[in-house]
Amino acid sequence: TNSLTMAWRLFKNLSEEQQRYEKQLIFEHPAFTKLCQQLLRDARRMTRGDLVFSLHALVNLGVPQNTLLVQTLVRVCQEKLNQLDNRCISVLATTLAGMDKDKNVSALQAGLQLLVEQRISSIRDIFILQNLMKCLGKDAPVFLKKKLEMAVVREIDGLTFPNSLRMFLALAAMNYCSLPILNPCSKKIQENVQDVTFRQLILILEACHTLLYRNVKLFSALADYVNSTAYLWDKRQIILFLSACETLGFQPTELLDIFAEKVTEDPDFLNLKNLLIVLRVYSRLNHVPRVQKDLFFETLHSCLNKCLPQISNTELLKAVYALGILGYLPHRALDELLQKDSKDELTLSDDLKEQSTMMLRCVKTCMELDSPSFTKPAFLLTENLSPLVSLNLRKAQEALIELLGDENMFRQTVLLPYRYHIDFEIRMDSDRKKVLPIAATDDHPDSHVQRLAFLFAPMSAFCLGTTHPQGKLAMKKRHLNKLGYHVILIQNKKFQEMKNEDAVEFLKRKIYSEDAFSFPEATVQDND
């Protein structure tokens, strides 16, 4: 057992190429064959520790699972399962997690799960608990996940910083979001953020994504740390970090600005893969640098042009779409995309067809509405989609009726050109003092009539913890501005949580405030 364990400890620290070479040497060595034969003979006489550590070493050294030796050790572990102490249970769980399912392995896993359930109240070692959580994984029954959670919570006060990091990964492996564990762990990580390695940064964010755990304070602490040490990181590492933030819908504003400067100073590192990630991140998070935004766009445009000879149709569409969301039209790439479309060369796989059709439609809309030559139409053809509003807009409808006194003072579920729709439309006089009946303004179109568009959007349409709209919603707001609307964005979840009288007062402030009628010069590009 000691020989095998030492071989495994030396083996695991080698590079992948060295491991392949050493593995061949080990397996061909005559002493290894003798060792395995002795192990097979003595399996039933071994102590519990020697038994599980030998199996662990053999599996990790790559001895095939279907060999008589491995299968014999698995069966002996089954026979001696009740004799195993907590440490042996932890090692065995780790070993089984790395093995393929077969009859003997499945039987041993089932027995181990029952044993963990019986022993869990006696396990005080946080490391063993974490190991069991990782190894039992997402397939563990909910009641067992709950028992493991309670066991960890019992020891939570003794949780160290390294244990806090491992706990995130253990919970992600179980796919079990436990706030009583995650919140203290997050706090411990924030307190020791300077000790987090780059790989750990990414693993934490990936675990949060798996667990649907959204902690703005944690994300901000990690982003501030990367921001303050940005000069130490490779640009590709920052791209990976920003990509992980984008997946969570979190906008690390300062870091995005700093990285944009790095891109404009030295764009040569932006190969096609990195360029597409950067475009996706900045467009989804609707982030335009506060300084040198034109230079940033021109740099990305130039990099895209260099990649055009080897770019695929799907990648070309994604790149143009991302820049379109940000209000920038890359003319050369756009021309190539439209030529392919007109010749029916824009062949895309079936699973991407629906999404690609939507993206292409958006690109064509951006071409029209974001063109410098576009002027606000004097008359806008609209129609009401339905006299009924969806359940999640019922509260807003009732608040508007109470505020304005009549359903004829607003329109609901309005369809506009370019397939845009708005939840509610209100029209006001030029002084913004009075709401006008819809019918009266329909009969006598007046250029001085002010149009308000209310969009009740889900929280997922905004960057995490802010009212900053993400790319698609920001693009819609920009385009509605171009069509002559003053757009009021409302986070529907927060609106639903308001008392009725507060909801009415809230809409009143939105309708009659000066802010509702200000047209920012570049709506999508404002980061406030």
Side-chain angles (χ1 to χ4, degrees):
T1 301
N2 290 340
S3 299
L4 286 170
T5 303
M6 183 53 72
W8 158 237
R9 283 179 182 161
L10 294 169
F11 182 79
K12 71 177 180 180
N13 292 322
L14 301 175
S15 68
E16 203 173 319
E17 192 176 331
Q18 285 177 310
Q19 282 186 356
R20 278 197 298 271
Y21 175 68
E22 289 293 336
K23 183 177 171 180
Q24 187 178 350
L25 290 180
I26 290 170
F27 285 7
E28 290 174 355
H29 200 289
F32 184 72
T33 307
K34 286 182 182 177
L35 191 66
C36 291
Q37 287 169 347
Q38 186 181 345
L39 204 57
L40 190 58
R41 283 196 308 271
D42 296 343
R44 283 182 168 78
R45 294 200 298 272
M46 293 172 77
T47 66
R48 60 193 181 187
D50 287 347
L51 180 65
V52 294
F53 277 98
S54 294
L55 178 61
H56 178 263
L58 287 171
V59 168
N60 284 291
L61 283 170
V63 174
Q65 187 175 319
N66 60 356
T67 56
L68 179 62
L69 175 60
V70 172
Q71 290 295 321
T72 299
L73 291 177
V74 169
R75 285 197 298 272
V76 176
C77 283
Q78 258 179 280
E79 293 167 11
K80 295 191 174 186
L81 195 56
N82 286 325
Q83 300 172 26
L84 302 185
D85 61 14
N86 292 341
R87 184 165 177 249
C88 290
I89 289 172
S90 176
V91 174
L92 182 58
T94 307
T95 308
L96 293 177
M99 297 178 74
D100 296 329
K101 294 276 192 296
D102 64 27
K103 187 179 175 182
N104 287 326
V105 168
S106 297
L108 182 53
Q109 277 180 324
L112 184 65
Q113 193 167 292
L114 288 171
L115 186 62
V116 169
E117 189 186 336
Q118 292 166 10
R119 296 266 193 94
I120 205 160
S121 58
S122 67
I123 300 175
R124 291 283 185 270
D125 189 320
I126 205 84
F127 181 78
I128 290 177
L129 288 169
Q130 287 171 337
N131 215 23
L132 291 172
M133 291 163 76
K134 278 176 71 177
C135 299
L136 293 172
K138 62 178 186 295
D139 295 329
V142 175
F143 75 86
L144 186 54
K145 292 179 181 180
K146 190 72 183 169
K147 282 191 171 185
L148 283 163
E149 176 190 29
M150 290 166 66
V152 172
V153 170
R154 203 170 51 227
E155 309 297 326
I156 204 79
D157 291 339
L159 212 60
T160 62
F161 166 61
N163 277 337
S164 297
L165 290 170
R166 285 196 291 267
M167 192 55 72
F168 263 86
L169 307 187
L171 286 168
M174 275 209 312
N175 199 8
Y176 186 73
C177 185
S178 167
L179 296 183
I181 298 175
L182 287 169
N183 289 339
C185 288
S186 296
K187 197 172 176 185
K188 189 70 74 174
I189 290 169
Q190 290 169 56
E191 291 167 359
N192 298 273
V193 68
Q194 70 282 351
D195 297 324
V196 181
T197 66
F198 175 75
R199 176 167 166 72
Q200 288 168 339
L201 282 172
I202 301 300
L203 288 174
I204 290 167
L205 295 178
E206 287 176 349
C208 290
H209 177 63
T210 301
L211 296 168
L212 302 178
Y213 178 64
R214 303 293 183 259
N215 186 324
V216 177
K217 285 184 179 178
L218 173 64
F219 300 161
S220 299
L222 297 180
D224 290 344
Y225 169 60
V226 175
N227 185 34
S228 64
T229 55
Y231 60 93
L232 297 172
W233 304 101
D234 182 84
K235 286 190 274 283
R236 290 168 188 81
Q237 288 179 312
I238 298 178
I239 286 178
L240 286 175
F241 181 80
L242 290 175
S243 178
C245 288
E246 175 263 330
T247 306
L248 294 161
F250 174 70
Q251 182 193 22
T253 307
E254 288 184 33
L255 185 60
L256 286 162
D257 282 341
I258 284 177
F259 185 72
E261 286 179 34
K262 289 180 178 287
V263 168
T264 53
E265 288 167 5
D266 176 28
D268 291 340
F269 76 96
L270 279 182
N271 57 24
L272 178 58
K273 180 184 174 184
N274 289 336
L275 175 64
L276 289 170
I277 294 172
V278 170
L279 288 172
R280 191 190 75 232
V281 167
Y282 280 79
S283 64
R284 187 191 164 193
L285 297 178
N286 175 31
H287 187 91
V288 174
R290 287 189 172 89
V291 294
Q292 294 189 315
K293 66 180 182 185
D294 293 333
L295 179 59
F296 177 64
F297 280 137
E298 286 162 14
T299 304
L300 294 179
H301 189 182
S302 173
C303 291
L304 178 58
N305 287 342
K306 286 178 188 173
C307 295
L308 286 179
Q310 77 259 29
I311 202 167
S312 72
N313 291 340
T314 304
E315 291 165 338
L316 176 63
L317 178 56
K318 285 180 178 178
V320 175
Y321 171 73
L323 284 166
I325 279 182
L326 289 165
Y328 185 88
L329 298 173
H331 295 294
R332 189 173 149 196
L334 187 57
D335 289 344
E336 190 164 321
L337 181 71
L338 295 175
Q339 280 176 20
K340 287 176 181 285
D341 184 44
S342 65
K343 295 175 184 175
D344 284 332
E345 293 175 1
L346 207 60
T347 50
L348 300 159
S349 57
D350 289 339
D351 56 327
L352 293 173
K353 201 159 268 183
E354 190 177 336
Q355 185 190 8
S356 301
T357 303
M358 177 277 294
M359 290 164 73
L360 190 60
R361 189 172 66 243
C362 276
V363 167
K364 291 177 178 178
T365 300
C366 290
M367 281 177 61
E368 286 191 51
L369 297 180
D370 292 326
S371 167
S373 60
F374 180 82
T375 53
K376 186 177 83 171
F379 178 76
L380 199 62
L381 187 65
T382 65
E383 64 175 285
N384 284 22
L385 280 175
S386 166
L388 301 172
V389 295
S390 60
L391 277 173
N392 67 335
L393 293 175
R394 194 72 53 80
K395 183 171 184 171
Q397 181 192 41
E398 290 167 0
L400 285 171
I401 292 171
E402 186 173 335
L403 179 62
L404 305 176
D406 191 344
E407 274 193 30
N408 297 319
M409 303 299 286
F410 62 89
R411 297 173 74 194
Q412 56 203 28
T413 322
V414 183
L415 181 65
L416 304 177
Y418 306 99
R419 295 202 185 188
Y420 282 129
H421 84 274
I422 54 180
D423 297 319
F424 298 98
E425 177 186 342
I426 290 175
R427 296 175 190 173
M428 301 185 76
D429 65 340
S430 56
D431 296 326
R432 308 193 296 273
K433 303 292 184 190
K434 184 181 176 185
V435 176
L436 306 173
I438 295 294
T441 51
D442 275 343
D443 294 340
H444 305 285
D446 186 343
S447 60
H448 295 296
V449 170
Q450 306 280 359
R451 292 170 177 254
L452 262 72
F454 284 84
L455 300 180
F456 287 80
M459 299 296 283
S460 58
F462 299 86
C463 290
L464 190 66
T466 72
T467 55
H468 182 70
Q470 290 188 14
K472 285 171 74 173
L473 181 60
M475 176 181 68
K476 181 176 180 178
K477 182 174 187 279
R478 180 175 81 242
H479 288 167
L480 292 181
N481 284 160
K482 292 284 183 81
L483 294 172
Y485 283 94
H486 305 275
V487 181
I488 296 174
L489 296 180
I490 296 172
Q491 293 180 338
N492 198 26
K493 183 175 182 289
K494 291 190 175 179
F495 183 79
Q496 297 297 332
E497 291 167 356
M498 293 179 188
K499 294 177 182 175
N500 290 340
E501 56 269 26
D502 294 336
V504 172
E505 190 59 37
F506 174 80
L507 291 180
K508 184 178 179 180
R509 285 199 307 273
K510 288 290 182 184
I511 291 170
Y512 294 104
S513 74
E514 293 287 329
D515 293 343
F517 294 91
S518 60
F519 276 105
E521 284 184 24
T523 316
V524 71
Q525 297 176 3
D526 282 354
N527 293 313
D528 297 333

